[in-house]
Amino acid sequence: MDLSDLNIFRAVVNAGGVTRAAEKLNRVQSNVTTRVRQLEADLAVNLFIREGKKLRLSPAGALLLGYADQLLDLAQEAREAMHDARPRGVLRLGTMESTASVRLPGPMSDYLARYPEVSLELRTGNILTLGPAVRDGDLDAALVSEPIADTPFDKTPIYDEELVIIAAAGHPPIKSPRDARNGTVLAFEVGCSNRQRLEDWLARHGEMPDRVIVMSSYHAMLGCAVAGMGISLMPRMVLKTFPDVKLLSIHPLPPGLNRAMTVLIRRKGTVSPKISALIDVLTEHSDLKDRPARRRKNGG
């Protein structure tokens, strides 16, 4: 069964017979009859009740007609979309938890207001889950933190985040890995880029935390840090959403560790109106918008 078979079947139903359907399809009657019988053989059902030269839709034919309408209409929509510059359809966007909670509400509200024919599916995760999902086509795009491999993706820088270490108020200054040794780190699961940065920084100086407590959200980390349970590395902008920030101490990081670029990744060579529009909106809301264009190479 293919779309051309369904199109002939629907034409016969709508025209009320083979003769008129053949005229509308610009085919010979015998070809239309053969294609209908081949479709019946393929499905192992009678689609029409034949009464002499008259055809009447059978119950199985009525059921198939509903599916044929849906499939043919969807196929036509797909053809039109290929030549339509308007963003439409489902946008499957992946993002880090911090970006979803702090950065995205404004731009995505703007995006959906501009393009009401787009519906949003948002998935949070880290690069270990979001990268493969984009590569395999399960997500259209994702906002992740550098570094990430160039080969499978096109990338557009969107946010340049400042990273800080947070701890309970009154914690001694953390100026080097030695100041953070023999403590507890509050972090996301393995795959979180900020956890990796903190662990790498400690390891380069021969230091390791006593333990790592895996948490599911930045607000949980912040609450535990206030309680003195450990330290954490996170984007400074996350602190804007935390009402008890005065109960924390905030420790700057040395150059080279204190910045993280958030990029929008999509499969290399893929172009669609909804992704192009997303890049435009995110760039408008980005803190990079006034920087030189060379910072956004690879963008599309």
Side-chain angles (χ1 to χ4, degrees), residues 100-160:
S101 62
V102 180
R103 292 290 196 181
L104 283 187
M108 292 317 300
S109 176
D110 188 6
Y111 180 88
L112 294 173
R114 291 190 203 181
Y115 309 109
E117 293 181 85
V118 176
S119 58
L120 176 66
E121 290 183 2
L122 196 65
R123 183 192 306 178
T124 58
N126 59 49
I127 188 56
L128 293 184
T129 58
L130 299 178
V134 172
R135 181 197 63 211
D136 297 339
D138 296 326
L139 290 174
D140 298 308
L143 286 157
V144 298
S145 182
E146 290 274 33
I148 182 171
D150 291 333
T151 304
F153 305 113
D154 283 332
K155 300 190 291 187
T156 302
I158 301 296
Y159 303 116
D160 184 10

Side-chain angles (χ1 to χ4, degrees), residues 40-271:
E40 289 179 315
D42 182 33
L43 297 173
V45 296
N46 290 321
L47 299 174
F48 295 96
I49 299 171
R50 292 167 173 83
E51 299 171 338
K53 293 185 178 181
K54 294 182 180 180
L55 295 179
R56 183 160 51 91
L57 202 59
S58 71
L63 179 62
L64 179 63
L65 181 61
Y67 286 108
D69 285 337
Q70 294 179 51
L71 290 168
L72 292 168
D73 290 347
L74 186 60
Q76 181 60 31
E77 181 181 328
R79 291 188 191 96
E80 293 172 355
M82 295 302 99
H83 303 283
D84 188 352
R86 292 179 300 169
R88 62 171 67 200
V90 178
L91 172 62
R92 301 165 303 165
L93 180 63
T95 177
M96 298 176 293
E97 193 265 349
S98 59
T99 306
S101 62
V102 180
R103 292 290 196 181
L104 283 187
M108 292 317 300
S109 176
D110 188 6
Y111 180 88
L112 294 173
R114 291 190 203 181
Y115 309 109
E117 293 181 85
V118 176
S119 58
L120 176 66
E121 290 183 2
L122 196 65
R123 183 192 306 178
T124 58
N126 59 49
I127 188 56
L128 293 184
T129 58
L130 299 178
V134 172
R135 181 197 63 211
D136 297 339
D138 296 326
L139 290 174
D140 298 308
L143 286 157
V144 298
S145 182
E146 290 274 33
I148 182 171
D150 291 333
T151 304
F153 305 113
D154 283 332
K155 300 190 291 187
T156 302
I158 301 296
Y159 303 116
D160 184 10
E161 301 290 5
E162 179 188 3
L163 302 177
V164 295
I165 291 177
I166 57 105
H171 191 287
I174 300 175
K175 297 182 179 179
S176 73
R178 185 177 180 83
D179 299 324
R181 67 176 179 172
N182 301 327
T184 296
V185 167
L186 311 170
F188 287 118
E189 61 188 1
V190 173
C192 170
S193 57
N194 290 333
R195 171 177 173 171
Q196 190 64 51
R197 285 187 179 91
L198 181 56
E199 290 179 344
D200 288 348
W201 184 53
L202 295 171
R204 281 197 301 270
H205 293 79
E207 308 289 353
M208 290 297 291
D210 280 347
R211 61 174 177 161
V212 176
I213 299 178
V214 176
M215 318 213 78
S216 60
S217 72
Y218 278 117
H219 275 236
M221 293 178 204
L222 290 162
C224 290
V226 167
M229 290 177 57
I231 66 170
S232 185
L233 187 152
M234 62 181 61
R236 182 184 284 272
M237 57 91 176
V238 172
L239 303 179
K240 295 179 180 179
T241 68
F242 188 59
D244 295 324
V245 68
K246 292 182 179 180
L247 302 179
L248 291 168
S249 59
I250 301 169
H251 307 265
L253 288 162
L257 186 69
N258 66 338
R259 312 298 303 189
M261 186 68 71
T262 298
V263 297
L264 183 77
I265 60 171
R266 62 269 188 213
R267 282 187 296 171
K268 190 172 287 293
T270 58
V271 178

